[in-house]
């Protein structure tokens, strides 16, 4: 399922068209036809619909990410998701707060942030169906009152991984919530401090160790915070941010393979170094953010419009999308 969505994103980004093996109508039919009209969830191809938890939504699995990738692929194709996501629409404020408190913030902040991303994105799609039900306000209230004032983030680092879980979870959480809804993030200076500290961790950014996930999860928070803090040469730690962006571009650009794209990363994590749809879609978005941190994204000739779009998908909870 994700591969189909990545193909739609890449074709839109580079060609301004749909993948040529199907017509636009056939792409729409194939993707929208897999959304369960009752739950609003999209299972993996050939797999059964996931069973909802006690609060009506799911906590893990491919269907969580499909809220994002299928939703944005259909958004690029025109119609968007045809049905609201029932578990998010019907979740009460109490159920949401219980779920948020139970997420794995201490031991798995990436997974916790990914759940928030999926929930917030489903809320965004549901608002297009006029099905908000008040929980988006409660989500932002919980996030604002739980952000760590020393880092601006949610979750705890570990001796084994450093800030990896926290920073990667921050990207997913803020992508779906603050960035998608056009709202300012709390403590942006502290976020920049934490992210730049993480970017020096050789366990994740040493030679041959970087991958699309880890670089995106640094580039986007830095970009997001500079939108609030200012992008001038004398902006908060702007010199260090620019230096980091330049180094990343110098590393990744030579890895493009004509007719094949980018691999996910050189290390063992993820799909690996061979070019593919996931690596190509992610690195094209990363390159745009890195170039924009340097004030040079206009030279690329493309701008992400889908899941990695830089603009908010809506302005606030009640704003038009």
């Amino acid at each position: 399922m994700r591969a189909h969505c990545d193909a739609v994103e890449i074709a839109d980004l580079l060609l301004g068209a749909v993948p040529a093996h199907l017509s636009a109508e056939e792409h729409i039919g194939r993707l929208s036809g897999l959304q369960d009209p009752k739950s609003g969830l999209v299972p993996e191809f050939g797999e059964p619909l996931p069973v909802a938890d006690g609060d009506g939504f799911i906590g893990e699995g491919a269907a969580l990410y499909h809220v994002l990738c299928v939703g944005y692929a259909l958004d690029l194709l025109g119609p968007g998701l045809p049905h609201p996501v029932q578990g998010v629409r019907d979740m009460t404020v109490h159920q949401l707060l219980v779920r948020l408190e139970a997420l794995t913030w201490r031991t798995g902040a990436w997974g916790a942030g990914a759940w928030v991303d999926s929930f917030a994105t489903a809320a965004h799609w549901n608002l297009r169906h006029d099905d908000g039900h008040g929980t988006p306000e409660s989500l932002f209230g919980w996030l604002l009152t739980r952000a760590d004032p020393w880092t601006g983030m949610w979750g705890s680092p570990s001796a084994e991984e450093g800030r990896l879980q926290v920073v990667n979870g921050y990207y997913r959480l803020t992508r779906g919530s603050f960035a998608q809804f056009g709202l300012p993030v709390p403590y942006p200076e502290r976020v920049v401090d934490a992210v730049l500290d993480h970017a020096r961790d050789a366990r994740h950014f040493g030679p041959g160790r970087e991958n699309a996930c880890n670089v995106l999860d640094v580039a986007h928070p830095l970009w997001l915070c500079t939108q609030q803090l200012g992008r001038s040469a004398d902006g908060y730690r702007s010199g260090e941010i620019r230096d980091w962006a330049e180094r990343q571009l110098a590393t990744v650009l030579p890895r493009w393979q004509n007719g094949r794209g980018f691999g996910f990363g050189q290390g063992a994590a993820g799909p690996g170094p061979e070019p593919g749809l996931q690596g190509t879609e992610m690195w094209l978005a990363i390159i745009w953010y890195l170039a924009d941190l340097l004030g040079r994204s206009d030279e690329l000739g493309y701008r992400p419009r889908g899941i990695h779009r830089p603009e908010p998908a809506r302005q606030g909870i009640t704003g038009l999308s």
Side-chain angles (χ1 to χ4, degrees), residues 127 181-183 314-320:
L127 285 165
F181 281 76
L183 298 173
R314 62 188 316 115
Q315 290 294 334
I317 294 170
T318 59
L320 296 176

Side-chain angles (χ1 to χ4, degrees), residues 186-223:
Y187 313 112
E189 294 94 341
R190 303 292 77 78
V191 172
V192 170
D193 293 340
V195 170
L196 288 176
D197 177 71
H198 169 61
R200 292 192 293 267
D201 191 331
R203 290 173 294 182
H204 313 300
F205 296 96
R209 292 180 177 269
E210 69 283 335
N211 61 50
C213 181
N214 292 348
V215 177
L216 174 64
D217 295 357
V218 169
H220 188 273
L222 291 177
W223 182 88

Side-chain angles (χ1 to χ4, degrees), residues 170-171 174-175 178-180 185 188 191-192 195-196 215-231 241 244-245 285-297 303-304 308-312:
Y170 180 88
Y171 161 68
T174 55
R175 190 221 70 84
F178 295 94
Q180 187 163 229
V185 297
V191 172
V192 170
V195 170
L196 288 176
V215 177
L216 174 64
D217 295 357
V218 169
H220 188 273
L222 291 177
W223 182 88
L224 185 62
C225 289
T226 60
Q227 305 308 296
Q228 290 178 223
L229 297 172
R231 303 177 60 181
I241 293 171
W244 182 84
I286 293 164
I287 288 167
W288 188 92
Y289 281 105
L290 294 172
D292 204 58
L293 285 169
L294 299 172
R296 301 182 64 180
S297 59
R303 184 182 183 90
H308 294 120
R309 58 183 287 168
E311 298 85 7

Side-chain angles (χ1 to χ4, degrees), residues 61-113:
L64 271 181
Y65 193 73
H66 293 168
V67 173
L68 282 66
C69 67
V70 177
Y72 270 103
L74 285 169
D75 195 49
L76 290 172
L77 292 166
L81 285 171
H83 308 289
V85 181
Q86 183 87 13
V88 172
R89 183 185 67 178
D90 293 346
M91 188 176 292
T92 67
V93 170
H94 175 71
Q95 288 173 325
L96 173 61
L97 298 181
V98 169
R99 170 79 81 155
L100 289 169
E101 293 288 351
L103 292 175
T104 56
W105 298 109
R106 290 188 177 276
T107 59
W110 182 89

